Amino acid sequence: SEITREQALAELDKPPYDPLHLVQDREYVCKKLGFGAAEFAAYIAAPPVSHFAFPSYARLAQKMVAIHKRRRYQ
């Protein structure tokens, strides 16, 4: 169903997440991860880190896929 522009703007003015559920969910995640509130806040505020910064076979897998694609279309 469609809504009017005014209805859409009214929806956008509402909080995207119920504040009570946000607090409950944050507490739940902290408990499950074993983080304190300050530690969790620092983690969330930290800049993102590429998954390539951690040891894995991702680069090898990417190279293998590239080789496979080249061979497939030759």
Side-chain angles (χ1 to χ4, degrees), residues 27-35:
E27 289 173 356
Y28 177 80
V29 169
C30 286
K31 180 180 176 184
K32 288 296 180 181
L33 296 177
F35 285 175

Side-chain angles (χ1 to χ4, degrees), residues 21-66:
H21 285 126
L22 181 62
V23 171
Q24 291 172 340
D25 288 350
R26 185 178 293 131
E27 289 173 356
Y28 177 80
V29 169
C30 286
K31 180 180 176 184
K32 288 296 180 181
L33 296 177
F35 285 175
E39 186 180 8
F40 182 73
Y43 178 80
I44 294 298
V49 177
S50 168
H51 67 278
F52 290 116
F54 302 95
S56 74
Y57 291 107
R59 290 193 192 270
L60 176 61
Q62 283 181 333
K63 288 178 184 178
M64 292 174 68
V65 167

